[in-house]
Short mmCIF file of all heavy atoms in Angstrom, two decimals:
data_model
loop_
_atom_site.label_atom_id
_atom_site.label_comp_id
_atom_site.label_asym_id
_atom_site.label_seq_id
_atom_site.Cartn_x
_atom_site.Cartn_y
_atom_site.Cartn_z
N ARG A 240 139.26 -48.77 -104.11
CA ARG A 240 140.03 -47.94 -103.22
C ARG A 240 139.31 -46.74 -102.72
O ARG A 240 139.46 -46.37 -101.63
CB ARG A 240 141.38 -47.48 -103.94
CG ARG A 240 142.29 -46.75 -103.24
CD ARG A 240 142.86 -47.51 -102.18
NE ARG A 240 143.92 -46.76 -101.47
CZ ARG A 240 144.02 -46.83 -100.20
NH1 ARG A 240 143.26 -47.61 -99.33
NH2 ARG A 240 144.92 -46.06 -99.49
N LEU A 241 138.60 -46.07 -103.61
CA LEU A 241 137.82 -44.89 -103.13
C LEU A 241 136.68 -45.26 -102.21
O LEU A 241 136.28 -44.43 -101.45
CB LEU A 241 137.37 -44.15 -104.39
CG LEU A 241 138.32 -43.47 -105.28
CD1 LEU A 241 137.69 -42.94 -106.53
CD2 LEU A 241 139.03 -42.41 -104.50
N ASN A 242 136.11 -46.45 -102.25
CA ASN A 242 135.15 -46.93 -101.33
C ASN A 242 135.63 -47.38 -100.09
O ASN A 242 134.89 -47.53 -99.14
CB ASN A 242 134.27 -48.07 -102.02
CG ASN A 242 133.08 -47.54 -102.60
OD1 ASN A 242 132.26 -46.85 -102.00
ND2 ASN A 242 132.89 -47.87 -103.89
N SER A 243 136.91 -47.69 -100.02
CA SER A 243 137.47 -48.28 -98.77
C SER A 243 137.46 -47.25 -97.64
O SER A 243 137.38 -45.93 -97.86
CB SER A 243 138.96 -48.70 -98.99
OG SER A 243 139.80 -47.55 -99.10
N SER A 244 137.35 -47.72 -96.49
CA SER A 244 137.20 -46.79 -95.28
C SER A 244 138.63 -46.42 -94.77
O SER A 244 138.80 -45.70 -93.70
CB SER A 244 136.42 -47.47 -94.17
OG SER A 244 137.19 -48.66 -93.74
N LEU A 245 139.65 -46.78 -95.57
CA LEU A 245 141.01 -46.38 -95.09
C LEU A 245 141.35 -44.96 -95.32
O LEU A 245 141.92 -44.34 -94.45
CB LEU A 245 142.07 -47.31 -95.79
CG LEU A 245 141.96 -48.84 -95.60
CD1 LEU A 245 142.94 -49.49 -96.53
CD2 LEU A 245 142.08 -49.12 -94.12
N VAL A 246 141.01 -44.44 -96.42
CA VAL A 246 141.27 -43.03 -96.81
C VAL A 246 140.08 -42.28 -97.28
O VAL A 246 139.20 -42.88 -97.98
CB VAL A 246 142.40 -42.98 -97.86
CG1 VAL A 246 142.83 -41.57 -98.26
CG2 VAL A 246 143.60 -43.81 -97.52
N GLY A 247 139.97 -41.02 -96.97
CA GLY A 247 138.87 -40.30 -97.47
C GLY A 247 137.61 -40.35 -96.66
O GLY A 247 136.80 -39.39 -96.59
N MET A 248 137.33 -41.39 -96.01
CA MET A 248 136.13 -41.60 -95.27
C MET A 248 136.37 -41.37 -93.70
O MET A 248 135.55 -41.03 -93.01
CB MET A 248 135.49 -42.97 -95.41
CG MET A 248 135.17 -43.21 -96.89
SD MET A 248 133.96 -42.10 -97.58
CE MET A 248 133.99 -42.60 -99.18
N ASN A 249 137.55 -41.80 -93.31
CA ASN A 249 137.88 -41.79 -91.80
C ASN A 249 138.74 -40.46 -91.55
O ASN A 249 139.92 -40.57 -91.94
CB ASN A 249 138.69 -43.10 -91.58
CG ASN A 249 138.77 -43.30 -90.03
OD1 ASN A 249 138.64 -42.30 -89.34
ND2 ASN A 249 139.26 -44.53 -89.70
N PRO A 250 138.21 -39.56 -90.92
CA PRO A 250 138.97 -38.29 -90.64
C PRO A 250 140.23 -38.49 -89.79
O PRO A 250 141.15 -37.82 -89.84
CB PRO A 250 137.95 -37.44 -89.94
CG PRO A 250 136.66 -37.99 -90.19
CD PRO A 250 136.87 -39.47 -90.49
N ALA A 251 140.23 -39.53 -88.96
CA ALA A 251 141.35 -39.83 -88.11
C ALA A 251 142.62 -40.23 -88.99
O ALA A 251 143.72 -39.91 -88.60
CB ALA A 251 141.06 -40.93 -87.18
N LEU A 252 142.45 -40.78 -90.08
CA LEU A 252 143.54 -41.22 -90.96
C LEU A 252 143.94 -40.14 -91.91
O LEU A 252 145.06 -40.06 -92.19
CB LEU A 252 143.18 -42.48 -91.73
CG LEU A 252 142.92 -43.71 -90.95
CD1 LEU A 252 142.46 -44.85 -91.89
CD2 LEU A 252 144.18 -44.20 -90.24
N THR A 253 143.03 -39.30 -92.36
CA THR A 253 143.30 -38.20 -93.33
C THR A 253 143.43 -36.89 -92.80
O THR A 253 143.79 -35.94 -93.50
CB THR A 253 142.17 -38.23 -94.32
OG1 THR A 253 140.95 -37.88 -93.72
CG2 THR A 253 142.02 -39.48 -95.08
#
Side-chain angles (χ1 to χ4, degrees):
R240 183 68 175 138
L241 291 172
N242 262 308
S243 72
S244 60
L245 298 176
V246 182
M248 305 297 177
N249 191 346
L252 294 175
T253 61

